[in-house]
């Protein structure tokens, strides 16, 4: 199937515009070759987009009833489903992820629009019992213009969860996808116009983070920023937003533990223990990058996980194997530098996957690697590698498991594997994370499940019904009637 790439243009005010600064090459991580270009938006384009969004809030979009907004989102969900093959190909080529993963991401994208389309007219306020002679009520109102800064690892899914909730609440959006992968986002822009989103309600400005991203974060005309990306960039975005006293949602990194007790069903756990780190070549905020195993079961678990790792194959997105490449050359070097450091410090790579023999040359491939007996304070157990590297560490008992699991700067997700019901609950309550999974990992993606971090993993929640409140302001109206 040949795919038409979106033109290198910006979606602003319902029209596709050229960027004065020109365009940026788009590289296929599977072979390192340029295959199309995107527009290089910058501060002046961001300014035009924010004005267009403001105008939309003052026009038909700002007056559209929640029911109609919901119907438009439902139409967008159907348009995504009708264009599933194209979107899947774009996402796979752009990010390097295997086709099956890209397809799952597009299925989730449609589901986000469907979920938030259905929710749009179900967010309502309250009445508050108050003093004699008063009636008090609350309303959830749109914030105004929302900014959405999206990373390259799951462009489609992260667009869906953030844009879907913002539009459902009646905001007008300016989206800044990542320069490394944004074709699916542009395609969604095309579909949004086709299904009838009014001009200026959805604006997309591609470009570099330091140019378009920084300009968006600092723009005084926006009312909220939803940022998903690294903690370092998140801090820059927060500082920019603070200058204008604007609220932010921060969806940042993770170093998520998978905690396995000796009584767990290891065979049932095995596909998750491996899948949670190799999905998207380990470039997942919620990757299960630490494997903590009760000492009595450590050798047994490591043997099984090693066997799995040694069967894993890496190849291009089209080959649709266990893993694709990582996103770019710097990311490959970053992951390899962590492996070099581990080796230098005497840590052992217990098992590694292999390259598929006919994988294209020039791609940014990294072999999935299981590293054993990693001390909890080692960088490999503390820092987000963002690659297919699993750091395994034994623990003595429940209390040590908790202390190691909670002993990083991050707190995004965690999983615990045990058949002891009381321990499941103790661990679930004790783990410092935004989501805890018991005897599973990720619960199948869970569009409906509120998601977000504690500690350095961020704050605010996206996904689920809860996210809608994050894109709205609660207004209290007190009427004195005597
Ligand atoms: P990144 O921080 O480099 O980039 C994220 C986005 O910010 C991109 O669109 C980029 O262009 C933009 N950006 C860069 N500099 C900017 C600046 N100065 N001002 C404003 N915007 C700027 O992150 P990444 O490398 O694209 O993504 C990887 C990181 O994202 C990892 O740390 C990962 O854990 C995290 N992540 C978190 C979640 C979550 O939901 N918690 C989901 C996916 C990824």
């Amino acid at each position: 199937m040949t795919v038409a790439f979106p033109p290198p243009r910006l979606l602003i005010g319902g029209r596709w515009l050229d960027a004065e600064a020109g365009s940026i090459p788009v590289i296929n991580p599977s072979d390192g070759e340029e295959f199309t270009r995107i527009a290089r938006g910058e501060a002046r384009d961001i300014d035009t987009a924010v004005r267009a969004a403001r105008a939309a809030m003052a026009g038909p979009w700002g007056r559209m009833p929640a029911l109609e907004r919901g119907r438009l989102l439902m139409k967008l969900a159907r348009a995504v489903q009708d264009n599933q093959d194209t979107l899947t190909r774009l996402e796979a080529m752009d990010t390097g992820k295997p086709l099956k993963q890209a397809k799952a991401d597009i299925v989730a994208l449609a589901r986000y629009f469907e979920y938030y389309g259905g929710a749009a007219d179900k967010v309502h306020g309250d009445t508050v019992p108050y003093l004699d002679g008063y009636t008090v009520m609350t309303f959830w109102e749109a914030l105004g213009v929302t900014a959405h800064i999206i990373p390259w690892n799951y462009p489609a899914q992260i667009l869906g969860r953030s844009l879907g909730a913002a539009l459902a609440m009646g905001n007008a959006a300016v989206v800044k996808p990542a320069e490394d992968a944004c074709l699916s986002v542009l395609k969604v822009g095309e579909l949004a116009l086709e299904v009838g989103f009014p001009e200026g309600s959805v604006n997309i400005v591609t470009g570099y983070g330091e140019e378009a991203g920084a300009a968006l974060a600092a723009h005084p005309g926006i009312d909220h920023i939803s940022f998903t990306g690294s903690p370092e960039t998140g801090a820059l975005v927060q500082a920019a937003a603070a200058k204008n006293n604007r609220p932010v949602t921060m969806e940042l990194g993770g170093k998520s533990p998978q905690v396995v007790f000796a009584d767990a069903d290891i065979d049932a756990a095995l596909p998750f223990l491996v899948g949670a780190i190799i999905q998207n070549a380990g470039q997942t905020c919620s990757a299960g990058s630490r494997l903590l195993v009760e000492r009595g079961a450590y050798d047994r678990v490591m043997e099984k996980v090693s066997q799995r790792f040694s069967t894993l194959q890496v190849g291009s997105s089209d080959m649709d194997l266990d893993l694709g490449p990582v996103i770019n050359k710097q990311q490959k070097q970053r992951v390899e530098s962590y492996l070099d450091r581990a080796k230098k410090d005497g840590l052992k790579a217990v098992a590694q996957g292999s390259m598929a023999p006919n994988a294209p040359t020039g791609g940014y491939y990294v072999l999935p690697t299981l590293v054993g007996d990693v001390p909890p304070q080692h960088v490999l157990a503390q820092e987000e590698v963002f690659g297919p590297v699993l750091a395994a560490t034994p623990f003595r008992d429940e209390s040590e498991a908790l202390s190691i699991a909670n002993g990083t700067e991050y707190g995004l997700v965690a999983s615990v594997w045990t058949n002891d019901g009381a321990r499941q609950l103790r661990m679930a309550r004790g783990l410092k994370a935004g989501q805890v999974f018991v005897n599973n990992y990720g619960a199948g993606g869970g569009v409906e499940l509120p998601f977000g971090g504690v500690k350095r993993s961020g704050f605010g929640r996206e996904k689920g019904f809860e996210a809608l409140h994050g894109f709205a302001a609660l207004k209290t109206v007190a009427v004195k009637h005597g």
Side-chain angles (χ1 to χ4, degrees), residues 149-154 158 161 176-179 207-210 213-214 217 227-231 233-234 236-237 251-254 284-285 384 386 412 451 457:
I149 302 179
I150 313 278
W152 45 257
N153 58 347
Y154 290 85
I158 292 170
R161 77 186 191 196
K176 207 306 274 174
E179 52 271 41
Y208 291 116
E210 318 82 72
F227 173 81
T228 307
S230 60
T233 310
L236 295 177
V237 169
E251 296 280 7
L252 308 175
T284 304
C285 52
E384 188 181 41
F386 228 49
L412 194 54
F451 178 81
S457 294

Side-chain angles (χ1 to χ4, degrees), residues 67 108 121 255 267 272 399 454 461:
L67 167 67
D121 59 354
K255 192 71 195 174
D267 289 326
F272 294 89
S399 126
V454 297
R461 295 291 177 263

Side-chain angles (χ1 to χ4, degrees), residues 17-30:
L17 307 178
D18 289 322
E20 271 183 56
S23 62
I24 302 172
V26 181
I27 309 294
N28 182 344
S30 292

Side-chain angles (χ1 to χ4, degrees), residues 377-429:
Q377 293 314 317
H378 192 271
V379 283
L380 208 57
Q382 288 290 323
E383 295 182 10
E384 188 181 41
V385 174
F386 228 49
V389 180
L390 182 57
T393 305
F395 64 82
R396 197 178 48 246
D397 56 17
E398 201 175 306
S399 126
E400 192 181 44
L402 261 185
S403 129
I404 298 176
N406 290 338
T408 73
E409 290 185 301
Y410 293 103
L412 194 54
V413 316
S415 78
V416 54
W417 294 86
T418 175
N419 283 325
D420 177 334
R423 180 190 274 155
Q424 291 173 355
L425 290 173
R426 282 193 301 273
M427 289 295 292
R429 301 298 296 270

Side-chain angles (χ1 to χ4, degrees), residues 272-306:
F272 294 89
L273 303 182
V274 178
I277 183 63
I278 64 159
Q279 178 174 318
N280 211 33
Q283 305 163 115
T284 304
C285 52
S286 54
S289 52
R290 290 185 294 151
L291 176 62
L292 311 183
V293 186
E294 193 171 3
R295 216 167 263 289
Y298 186 73
D299 290 344
R300 185 160 52 98
V301 171
M302 287 298 279
E303 199 189 317
K304 288 185 185 236
V305 175
S306 299

Side-chain angles (χ1 to χ4, degrees), residues 1-3 5 35 83-95 97 99 102-103 106 183 317-318:
M1 173 190 176
T2 50
V3 188
F5 302 121
F35 67 97
N83 287 272
Q84 181 175 288
D85 288 348
T86 302
L87 281 160
T88 298
R89 293 263 160 202
L90 288 176
E91 192 78 335
M93 215 167 166
D94 214 4
T95 61
K97 61 183 71 188
L99 281 168
K103 185 175 172 191
I106 301 308
L183 299 179
S317 58
D318 279 351

Side-chain angles (χ1 to χ4, degrees), residues 212-383:
L216 182 58
H219 201 292
I222 55 164
D223 298 292
H224 178 274
I225 305 175
S226 160
F227 173 81
T228 307
S230 60
E232 295 76 17
T233 310
L236 295 177
V237 169
Q238 285 177 71
K243 291 219 168 85
N244 299 316
N245 298 106
R246 292 299 189 269
V248 294
T249 300
M250 286 283 137
E251 296 280 7
L252 308 175
K255 192 71 195 174
S256 300
Q258 311 194 62
V259 185
V260 183
F261 286 91
D263 72 330
D265 181 343
I266 308 294
D267 289 326
L270 197 57
F272 294 89
L273 303 182
V274 178
I277 183 63
I278 64 159
Q279 178 174 318
N280 211 33
Q283 305 163 115
T284 304
C285 52
S286 54
S289 52
R290 290 185 294 151
L291 176 62
L292 311 183
V293 186
E294 193 171 3
R295 216 167 263 289
Y298 186 73
D299 290 344
R300 185 160 52 98
V301 171
M302 287 298 279
E303 199 189 317
K304 288 185 185 236
V305 175
S306 299
Q307 270 166 14
R308 279 270 167 143
F309 258 72
S310 52
T311 65
L312 296 172
Q313 279 218 311
V314 186
S316 67
S317 58
D318 279 351
M319 293 167 85
D320 207 11
L321 303 170
D322 302 302
L323 294 90
V326 296
I327 190 75
N328 56 31
K329 199 168 166 193
Q330 298 89 291
Q331 192 65 21
K332 176 174 157 70
Q333 285 167 349
R334 177 187 156 93
V335 180
E336 287 172 348
S337 75
Y338 275 103
L339 288 172
D340 288 346
R341 169 77 190 270
K343 195 170 168 194
K344 204 167 108 266
D345 291 344
L347 299 183
K348 196 163 169 242
V350 181
Q352 252 185 344
S354 59
M355 281 302 301
N358 45 351
T361 54
Y364 310 121
Y365 298 103
V366 180
L367 298 183
T369 306
L370 171 67
V371 183
D373 294 310
V374 181
Q377 293 314 317
H378 192 271
V379 283
L380 208 57
Q382 288 290 323
E383 295 182 10

